[in-house]
Amino acid sequence: MLYVGFSRARHLFVVCGDLELIRRVGGDPVVCRASVVQGHDGESVMRFRLNGVEHDLEADKVRHALRGGAPDGLQDHWVEVDGVRWPPKHALSVATGIDRGELTSHMALRQFQRLGFPTSQWGGATDSSRTSSSPGEASPRSPSRPTQPHRSNVTAADSAAAFAMLVGFLSSGLTERIGQTEAALDGADGAAAAAIVERFGMTEDVLASALLVRRQAGRLNDVVHAATIVQLLPTLLEPGECVRVRPSLAAGNDPSRPFDLETDRRIAEFKLSFWKGADAMRMRGVFADLVHLAMDDSSRRAQLFVVGPRPIHFLRNGTSTAAWALGRSSPRLRERFAEHFGDPSIAVRDFTNGPASHVGLIDLTRLMPVLAEDVHD
């Protein structure tokens, strides 16, 4: 599996918007790998490989290339060379001849930081973020500890590139890669460990991409929850039926909106978790929603929408007690259960088929086949 670097992946996505093309690119690996070496004159040389091509970058070379030049207007980030601040991608492009479309601000900043040039930090350009070292000296910023992008500075292309990199990295077999890396590190010294970083692709770009994707993907559950409800409503609502309370599209409810959906005819909860086998927390969650619906006394139709057959099978056949199922719920919900239904030692199946028998249990995969793709039978 080709390991696609962040900057190349970003370029490919911007040009063609095709993640599959990113995964099919042939030739040498296009990950950007960088190291600081000593040149013949003793000055630090930044050597990096981008898109299969090696480049050497020295502080004097940068100064010479930029001297007398006219930098583009600054936006969020900068590198200062001989008292002049340049956009980092512009400066690196001039100094190396690399097309700016192949670069990201993050990657360019890191190269200049390693050479000791003052720069903005990745996450905000302020005077206080300048590095204190002089060009040509080792930068105090450790190459193995990149600063992470601030949320407001991350573009859609950056996110797509980070995701594309992770697709290539994970598709090559993460378990096998980790096992091989562990074996290679057994008995390794510092020099060998550095080589192993490159050999197995455990690079700074992979770490930065993983952190960015994790941060950006943190609310994917809310996207799934909201998109499911909104797409379902046009076919779910009966003629003349109207939504009575603003729906709760994101996961979780606030006191003013106790149900995900309230119309003049029904109340409904949507449980969009995908059951995989070890589902104790999901069992507790779906039972709590069932109890919540069963306690409503408005005489409206009550429905619990779930994904796949497993949640319904648990509710209708589970032998665990309600006390266990509500063990992680709020004390108030447990109190209300006792007030409405009595002894919590009742089995889940007996509650579902008894006090909660009026609540409809509906498998969303029968209404929205796209959800069935991630269901584990």
Side-chain angles (χ1 to χ4, degrees), residues 192-207:
I196 289 168
V197 167
E198 303 300 333
R199 177 183 171 191
F200 293 101
M202 303 288 186
T203 63
E204 183 180 13
D205 276 338
V206 163
L207 175 59

Side-chain angles (χ1 to χ4, degrees), residues 207-258:
L207 175 59
S209 295
L211 292 170
L212 189 153
V213 169
R214 183 176 70 176
R215 183 170 65 248
Q216 295 296 315
R219 298 201 67 188
L220 279 181
N221 286 338
D222 286 342
V223 174
V224 172
H225 195 266
T228 298
I229 296 174
V230 172
Q231 289 185 45
L232 186 62
L233 280 179
T235 55
L236 180 67
L237 296 179
E238 300 169 344
E241 182 180 9
C242 296
V243 177
R244 195 173 74 176
V245 177
R246 190 180 72 170
S248 181
L249 297 182
N253 305 103
D254 61 56
S256 66
R257 295 178 292 166

Side-chain angles (χ1 to χ4, degrees), residues 32-357:
C32 177
R33 299 172 176 173
S35 59
V36 178
V37 299
Q38 291 297 119
H40 296 298
D41 56 1
E43 184 177 9
S44 295
V45 176
M46 170 60 57
R47 178 165 297 159
F48 63 96
R49 178 183 177 91
L50 180 66
N51 301 343
V53 179
E54 284 195 350
H55 303 270
D56 285 346
L57 190 63
E58 304 175 30
D60 282 345
K61 177 181 177 182
V62 172
R63 285 192 290 264
H64 178 76
L66 301 186
R67 188 172 296 130
D72 292 343
L74 295 177
Q75 296 184 13
D76 293 325
H77 301 293
W78 49 265
V79 55
E80 184 174 310
V81 180
D82 291 341
V84 179
R85 290 187 176 183
W86 289 72
K89 291 199 296 182
H90 186 190
L92 189 59
S93 177
V94 171
T96 62
I98 301 172
D99 187 277
R100 267 185 270 185
E102 299 284 328
L103 305 171
T104 67
S105 295
H106 185 196
M107 178 267 186
L109 282 173
R110 283 184 297 157
Q111 313 316 317
F112 289 122
Q113 288 166 358
R114 285 167 172 147
L115 287 178
F117 285 101
T119 72
S120 64
Q121 288 191 11
W122 181 249
T126 62
D127 288 339
S128 63
S129 67
R130 291 177 56 163
T131 60
S132 58
S133 58
S134 301
E137 298 177 358
S139 169
R141 195 185 311 277
S142 170
S144 62
R145 288 188 173 184
T147 52
Q148 293 304 311
H150 190 276
R151 294 169 188 253
S152 62
N153 293 332
V154 176
T155 67
D158 288 335
S159 296
F163 179 76
M165 171 179 281
L166 290 181
V167 167
F169 186 81
L170 295 172
S171 297
S172 62
L174 181 61
T175 299
E176 182 180 2
R177 184 194 295 264
I178 289 177
Q180 292 174 346
T181 305
E182 291 171 344
L185 285 170
D186 188 8
D189 59 13
I196 289 168
V197 167
E198 303 300 333
R199 177 183 171 191
F200 293 101
M202 303 288 186
T203 63
E204 183 180 13
D205 276 338
V206 163
L207 175 59
S209 295
L211 292 170
L212 189 153
V213 169
R214 183 176 70 176
R215 183 170 65 248
Q216 295 296 315
R219 298 201 67 188
L220 279 181
N221 286 338
D222 286 342
V223 174
V224 172
H225 195 266
T228 298
I229 296 174
V230 172
Q231 289 185 45
L232 186 62
L233 280 179
T235 55
L236 180 67
L237 296 179
E238 300 169 344
E241 182 180 9
C242 296
V243 177
R244 195 173 74 176
V245 177
R246 190 180 72 170
S248 181
L249 297 182
N253 305 103
D254 61 56
S256 66
R257 295 178 292 166
F259 303 105
D260 289 336
L261 176 65
E262 286 191 65
T263 75
D264 53 352
R265 303 179 188 180
R266 83 180 77 205
I267 55 174
E269 286 287 326
F270 291 79
K271 215 64 178 175
L272 274 298
S273 56
F274 293 82
W275 292 39
K276 301 176 181 179
D279 299 303
M281 291 304 296
R282 298 180 184 91
M283 291 175 181
R284 288 185 163 112
V286 76
F287 185 76
D289 279 354
L290 177 66
V291 170
H292 190 48
L293 289 163
M295 290 189 298
D296 181 72
D297 57 5
S298 67
S299 73
R300 288 174 294 177
R301 186 187 322 158
Q303 295 175 318
L304 177 56
F305 293 86
V306 297
V307 179
R310 287 189 177 187
I312 296 175
H313 182 270
F314 164 70
L315 292 174
R316 289 180 174 163
N317 300 280
T319 57
S320 301
T321 65
W324 173 85
L326 296 176
R328 302 292 178 86
S329 298
S330 67
R332 179 55 183 153
L333 181 58
R334 295 196 294 270
E335 292 171 3
R336 293 184 65 201
F337 181 92
E339 292 169 0
H340 282 76
F341 309 114
D343 188 357
S345 65
I346 184 174
V348 167
R349 65 185 180 188
D350 294 333
F351 178 79
T352 302
N353 298 317
S357 60

